[in-house]
Amino acid sequence: MRERCRAHGVQLRPHMKTMKSVEAARIALGATSGPITVATLKEAEYFADHGFDDIFYAVCITPDKLARAARLARRANRFSLLVDNVDAAEAVAVSAARESVQHNVWIEIDCGEHRTGLPPGDLAVIRIARLLSENPHTTFAGVATHGGQAYGAESTSEITRIAELERSAAVDAAMRIRNAGIACPNVSAGSTPTAVHGQSWDGVTELRAGVYMTGDLFQAGIGSCAMDALAFTVLATVIARNTERGQVVVDAGGLALSKDRSTAGHAFDAGYGRVLDINGNAAFGALKIDDVHQEHGEMHAVSPAVLDKLAPGTRVRILPNHACMTAAMYDRLHVTIDGSGAIAEVWDRVNGW
Amino acid sequence: MRERCRAHGVQLRPHMKTMKSVEAARIALGATSGPITVATLKEAEYFADHGFDDIFYAVCITPDKLARAARLARRANRFSLLVDNVDAAEAVAVSAARESVQHNVWIEIDCGEHRTGLPPGDLAVIRIARLLSENPHTTFAGVATHGGQAYGAESTSEITRIAELERSAAVDAAMRIRNAGIACPNVSAGSTPTAVHGQSWDGVTELRAGVYMTGDLFQAGIGSCAMDALAFTVLATVIARNTERGQVVVDAGGLALSKDRSTAGHAFDAGYGRVLDINGNAAFGALKIDDVHQEHGEMHAVSPAVLDKLAPGTRVRILPNHACMTAAMYDRLHVTIDGSGAIAEVWDRVNGW
């Protein structure tokens, strides 16, 4: 992703919401502590604790979080907030004055995801940019957008099209702001699928992608990465095997795997996760977890040949549908490097809020 | 639940998998540290740390967990394991001898859930009971079953029928063991729905229910508790409101609420959770979270009257579909008692494995 960004002449601001790990951030950035994106204030605090000083909290800020945000602004050289309405921008400016901090603030642009953000042509964009530029306690950082609708794309060409919507919406908003005589230094875009399949990022200054660091079954399914590039598995043990029912049960259920079913309804549907052997090989065909209870995962209609290989006590690795959701169930990551399965490093994670 | 069990003349062994909290266990048991059920060894260790000494780890044990189980057996007076096959029973006995501990061991009976466990009439039940009774390092504790199929019941009368299947399967297995000349001291059954709707627990000595402590939308939906008895909510703040789209976005997404969709396909489908006002009142009709991203929850087709009440910054409470899954996203519980919303106590939880 770093090379892809370099080729496009844009900065990578990796989104740490999947990994939530300092070690992963350093690898993503090439052994530096460069700019990052976070999804929670707790992530921001954790990365600030570890010397990261350019942290973009890329969820629109609410008033109840401003005191905590001010503490972050005092600690990190460049801690940034996101807003999508005038009231929020005013609340940020008032809080910054009261707390005697300078807030870097981005405006969220909606490029078609229709989650949060303003359409590029909305006059509020200019009003907010002006407010943030003129207020002595705020610095207008730029515009940011997220082509999250790419997750629903049916083909890589559709993802490419959405990437262009993402680029053009962000650049359009920046242009309108600049035409109003306001400097718009940064233009931020990106999700993993659009960062991978975007053809041009002209006018964009940075990309925020995150799940690319490990990939998952959903990302492989929509073409963001190859199946053999998935880095994240859940280690589980067979609890029970019922040859009559063709059923195998492992000690990884809804909590260990998450209840994410993002692959549902796709040709690449993998239940609650695809089951590999202990070495990470697809030794059991398309075997998947068909049903989960809190601590049990069930495989159904398992062939006699595969049943033979899955005696109680056998260890397996399960590829998750959605790395962000599954990783959040763990407070650390066990890192294997050489294919032996030996744990080379243990990385802490920061869950919660 | 304590009163219900007392009326039936059975012991309550509350399942701590939902609350994972010492304070909750003490309330469930009536201020004692009586018998409990746990779903992970980490829960067992946490409760042993807090003086609980009758702990039943009610997931079939696998060989890789036996060293850890032995440490628990040394610490808790009565730490119990579960098995459903002869190999596992033998592995437990071998480990107990090697580790110089005495293991209390239950046999899991399948009463129709078809997850793990042996049918009551399976000859392996007698073989395992004999092995556990005769081996000097194991104590045969009894038989345990779980009518988890009650979660799929369409009516309370069906739950009552499943409760009777649960009771009769466990009692049948115990009788067969006793007829073989082996003492079977305990007969354990129960899930929240069957514990609530079971008419008779004759022959059963204890019930293991857990989610009844807080309830959730699914349990209310299937009739385990009333909607106004739900004790667990996620506190969230409105991030954005789009009156044109009739959309409200809160800062509680797939991580804060879990991706559990157990109410899907039911008349009581509540999306990813039902939205209440800050006081816990259903002030917004049937408003629910329709879609989640990692940190965003979206409500769609919100009426103009409700939109008026949900300006950005407004705090709401969200009832979860499945308390066990949602609670697992938090490392502590904020307890309110008097309806004021003031936090009276903070309870730690033990997540992970």
Side-chain angles (χ1 to χ4, degrees), chain B residues 198-214:
Chain B
Q199 297 295 301
S200 158
W201 293 106
D202 281 359
V204 165
T205 62
E206 63 169 49
L207 289 178
R208 307 180 321 280
V211 73
Y212 74 87
M213 294 180 207
T214 61

Side-chain angles (χ1 to χ4, degrees), chain A residues 65 251 259-260 295 353, chain B residues 65 251 259-260 295 353:
Chain A
K65 299 189 184 82
D251 62 356
K259 287 212 171 173
D260 189 277
E295 297 293 347
W353 292 271
Chain B
K65 300 188 183 83
D251 61 355
K259 287 212 171 172
D260 188 278
E295 298 293 347
W353 292 271

Side-chain angles (χ1 to χ4, degrees), chain A residues 29-318:
Chain A
L29 289 161
T32 74
S33 60
I36 58 169
T37 315
V38 299
T40 67
L41 288 179
K42 194 166 171 191
E43 283 175 49
E45 289 159 352
Y46 161 83
F47 283 101
D49 285 346
H50 289 84
F52 287 75
D53 70 350
D54 183 352
I55 303 173
F56 180 8
Y57 170 53
V59 176
C60 286
I61 191 78
T62 53
D64 55 310
K65 299 189 184 82
L66 284 168
R68 206 168 154 192
R71 289 195 290 278
L72 276 157
R74 273 183 216 108
R75 293 173 59 195
N77 180 40
R78 195 178 159 81
F79 171 66
S80 296
L81 300 176
L82 184 65
V83 298
D84 79 348
N85 64 80
V86 175
D87 288 350
E90 276 171 356
V92 169
V94 167
S95 167
R98 189 178 51 230
E99 303 272 359
S100 302
V101 297
Q102 188 74 18
H103 271 313
N104 301 295
V105 191
W106 299 75
I107 301 173
E108 185 168 17
I109 303 302
D110 180 12
C111 64
E113 183 179 30
H114 300 328
R115 182 172 71 179
T116 50
L118 292 163
D122 195 310
L123 292 179
V125 173
I126 312 284
R127 281 181 61 199
I128 300 170
R130 180 160 288 125
L131 187 161
L132 295 171
S133 295
E134 293 179 354
N135 190 291
H137 301 284
T138 54
T139 303
F140 175 48
V143 291
T145 195
H146 177 242
Q149 68 269 41
Y151 278 56
E154 298 289 332
S155 65
T156 54
S157 62
E158 191 180 345
I159 294 173
T160 299
R161 194 181 56 74
I162 293 166
E164 177 53 22
L165 282 178
E166 196 176 29
R167 188 199 69 80
S168 60
V171 170
D172 180 21
M175 188 196 68
R176 289 165 185 262
I177 291 166
R178 289 169 186 146
N179 286 347
I182 305 162
C184 182
N186 301 294
V187 179
S188 181
S191 67
T192 285
T194 56
V196 169
H197 293 292
Q199 297 296 300
S200 159
W201 293 106
D202 280 0
V204 164
T205 63
E206 62 169 49
L207 289 178
R208 308 181 319 280
V211 72
Y212 74 90
M213 294 180 207
T214 60
D216 55 32
L217 290 170
F218 179 80
Q219 292 297 330
I222 66 170
S224 297
C225 57
M227 272 296 287
D228 64 1
L230 306 190
F232 183 55
T233 61
V234 173
L235 184 62
T237 304
V238 174
I239 295 178
R241 172 177 59 174
N242 187 304
T243 49
E244 224 166 274
R245 289 201 294 269
Q247 178 201 34
V248 176
V249 182
V250 290
D251 62 356
L255 285 187
L257 300 171
S258 99
K259 287 212 171 173
D260 189 277
R261 285 289 290 112
S262 49
T263 62
H266 291 272
F268 52 86
D269 187 348
Y272 292 90
R274 186 149 173 222
V275 184
L276 309 178
D277 72 10
I278 183 67
N279 299 313
N281 297 319
F284 313 126
L287 192 66
K288 65 186 197 299
I289 303 293
D290 295 293
D291 195 11
V292 288
H293 308 256
Q294 184 163 340
E295 297 293 347
H296 298 75
E298 290 186 15
M299 307 163 218
H300 300 157
V302 182
S303 72
V306 171
L307 279 169
D308 272 353
K309 298 177 188 169
L310 292 171
T314 305
R315 302 201 109 186
V316 295
R317 291 185 184 276
I318 303 170

